[in-house]
Amino acid sequence: MLNEQKIRKDFEILNQPINGKPLVYLDSTATSLKPAAVLAKLNDYYTKYTANIFRGIYKISEEATAEYENSRKKVAAFIGCTNPEEIVFTRNASESLNLIAYSWGLSALSAGDHVVVSIMEHHSNFVPWQQLGKDRGWVMDIWRTNAEGELDLANLDKLITRKTKLLTITAVSNVLGTINPIEKIVQKVKSLNSHCIVVVDAAQAVPHMSVDVSQWGADFVVFSSHKMLGPTGTGVLWGRYDLLDQMRPYNYGGEMIAEVYEDRTVFKAPPHKFEAGTPHIAGVIGLGAAVDYLSGLGMDAVRAHEKDIVEYTLEKLHEINGITVYGPKNTDNKGGVVAFTLRYAHAHDVAQILDEDNVCIRSGNHCAMPLHVYMGVAATARASFYVYTSKADIDLFIQGLHKVQSVFT
Amino acid sequence: MDLYREVILDHYKNPRNFGHLEKPDSVTEEGNVTCGDRIVMEIQVNKKNEINNIRFSGEGCAISQASASMITETVLGKNTEDVLKLSSKDVLELIGTQLTPSRMKCAMLPLEVLHKTILALKR
């Protein structure tokens, strides 16, 4: 089990009271807090070896390059990828998804081709396909959830046809917490149509549980640094090398070229083919440190901790009058995310009252408006957990909900 | 508990002028789809362009609904031209407390809908 008291000492922000009260941060799904080790590594780049990568013969440039590429190797190993050249660094998961849509999608898909997207997708894994699809005549089919917020694999029998070229799916819902059985989904999709590509949005999976892309069997997987204790401005795209090799570049420019002539250019091979210009060097290095920190904790321990916290939370939420909790109730397939509504108070008001005691939760549609419209609710409140979340945090959260009840009823 | 002062809660739980008009001169509905705040304004105007009857309906957060209730109380009997001049400053005064930018949006929605309702009269 995680020693969360020891872990919390690594997070300076948790040890700084606001208006005399501690911070109770329950919005890790939106972004995670950063441990001192990550910040130190980020700062080291800016204080000890600030240089551009791949450019210089001099020592600090070689050091920057080595650290940057070392992060790539760390990230690859972290997700069970044996070839670091399959790891592309982007700005975030959203950019990774757009890269796939533009670089792979525009060439691979034609008018009349079908794309399957689940109803629980984040806007970043919904809007690109919708918009490019409208432009190009793709047909978007939506895989809907049941009342528990789970997907039924039997629906794939109808959804995956000869004309389905892509299925894109989140590994863990950022609203419902639903953990989708990716390995089973990939197997079923490929058995129905071996040419159908599978994209997995792992933004809420990689930070919170053990992920092995070779086991999953998908073709592309994306995630973001800032949700996994790393800096903002850095994201990852993992793609099968043979796909990346065929894809045209996403951005053109420096670093992604091997040779440039007046009339033509020779591009680098993946992954550098997709990394034009100077990247967020410090961000990538910081991500490497975040991977080290998480590896030190052990992802199975991280998942066990969050499962424990979610179980405790769901138990306590039962005491709250007029509450509706969304998503699976079984914590075996529920990540550390709990979305809910209160009959007598709007999500904004809930979040505002909780804020009076520094309890940070999110309210709105959490970048999943299609899901909310489908559920028939305009806005939900959402609490989400991570390695530093304690039961004491949850107790303060529950206390806050009692306060909301007394204010509004 | 500043934001949820008794006054705001009172207006939220016991909204003034909540409901519908039998023969409104103008009706407008608008909302913020992403958060679920929705306001409908219905007004009746006399020959002197004064609002002699007003009702609001809708649903949403306490700030948006309380703001709507307070605004309808304030504008009853006022000339439409004067109501069009009301701004965020006036809404803030009614609410009686500081609002963060995200909650300002909630508070301003009713006034925006009311302005649109008045402008629709002129057509």
Side-chain angles (χ1 to χ4, degrees), chain A residues 27-216:
Chain A
D27 201 16
S28 291
T29 296
T31 199
S32 61
L33 306 179
K34 319 301 173 198
V38 167
L39 300 173
K41 195 81 182 163
L42 192 91
N43 207 40
D44 276 352
Y45 170 71
Y46 287 122
T47 52
K48 297 192 175 128
Y49 54 96
T50 315
N52 209 328
I53 51 177
F54 307 126
R55 298 287 175 70
I57 308 282
Y58 50 91
K59 282 187 277 303
I60 58 171
S61 174
E62 298 274 41
E63 190 172 351
T65 305
E67 288 284 355
Y68 184 87
E69 289 300 329
N70 209 21
S71 274
R72 197 188 303 275
K73 294 194 186 91
K74 285 181 181 171
V75 169
F78 191 64
I79 59 169
C81 159
T82 51
N83 180 5
E85 288 172 356
E86 292 181 331
I87 301 290
V88 177
F89 287 122
T90 60
R91 222 177 41 173
N92 47 33
S94 302
E95 182 167 64
S96 299
L97 289 163
N98 276 276
L99 194 163
I100 299 168
Y102 280 95
S103 265
W104 174 82
L106 289 183
S107 315
L109 301 179
S110 322
D113 283 342
H114 286 241
V115 169
V116 176
V117 179
S118 93
I119 193 66
M120 60 168 85
E121 296 310 309
H122 185 285
H123 294 159
S124 293
N125 198 23
F126 196 94
V127 181
W129 312 109
Q130 181 197 71
Q131 291 300 306
L132 289 179
K134 275 181 193 290
D135 228 27
R136 297 304 183 95
W138 306 343
V139 179
M140 203 161 100
D141 298 316
I142 300 188
W143 188 8
R144 295 173 198 278
T145 50
N146 61 19
E148 277 281 297
E150 291 157 333
L151 292 170
D152 185 355
L153 267 65
N155 292 146
L156 290 175
D157 288 319
K158 287 225 180 74
L159 285 166
I160 307 294
T161 69
R162 230 177 3 98
K163 290 178 143 267
T164 312
K165 293 282 174 64
L166 168 76
L167 177 133
T168 186
I169 183 81
T170 182
V172 178
S173 164
N174 70 315
V175 176
L176 305 170
T178 312
I179 299 176
N180 290 316
I182 297 298
E183 201 178 330
K184 289 207 183 93
I185 290 172
V186 173
Q187 268 165 16
K188 188 153 175 105
V189 169
K190 302 283 186 183
S191 73
L192 291 165
N193 181 346
S194 58
H195 297 296
C196 183
I197 294 295
V198 180
V199 172
V200 180
D201 176 1
Q204 297 300 339
V206 173
H208 300 285
M209 54 196 65
S210 181
V211 167
D212 187 333
V213 298
S214 56
Q215 242 187 326
W216 269 357

Side-chain angles (χ1 to χ4, degrees), chain B residues 34-123:
Chain B
T34 59
C35 75
D37 288 344
R38 189 179 66 91
I39 300 283
V40 183
M41 283 285 179
E42 305 178 27
I43 59 174
Q44 251 167 26
V45 175
N46 64 18
K47 291 204 174 68
K48 289 193 270 178
N49 279 328
E50 290 161 348
I51 297 177
N52 60 358
N53 221 337
I54 181 168
R55 291 283 183 277
F56 89 93
S57 51
E59 70 242 341
C61 70
I63 300 302
S64 68
Q65 304 300 302
S67 174
S69 173
M70 290 188 218
I71 284 169
T72 59
E73 258 191 338
T74 306
V75 304
L76 195 53
K78 282 210 167 63
N79 191 291
T80 54
E81 288 307 313
D82 291 333
V83 176
L84 284 176
K85 293 196 188 111
L86 293 176
S87 70
S88 54
K89 195 172 66 67
D90 303 289
V91 170
L92 265 178
E93 248 177 65
L94 276 177
I95 302 277
T97 182
Q98 286 287 56
L99 288 174
T100 58
S102 35
R103 298 320 293 279
M104 259 319 284
K105 221 169 139 209
C106 308
M108 283 304 291
L109 178 64
L111 185 61
E112 281 163 14
V113 180
L114 181 56
H115 281 173
K116 288 199 169 135
T117 314
I118 293 172
L119 291 171
L121 268 175
K122 301 185 179 215
R123 274 179 238 125

Side-chain angles (χ1 to χ4, degrees), chain A residues 19 21 350-361, chain B residues 100:
Chain A
N19 296 334
K21 290 184 240 178
V350 177
Q352 187 96 61
I353 291 189
L354 259 44
D355 177 50
E356 287 169 5
D357 295 307
N358 295 343
V359 178
C360 310
I361 64 166
Chain B
T100 58

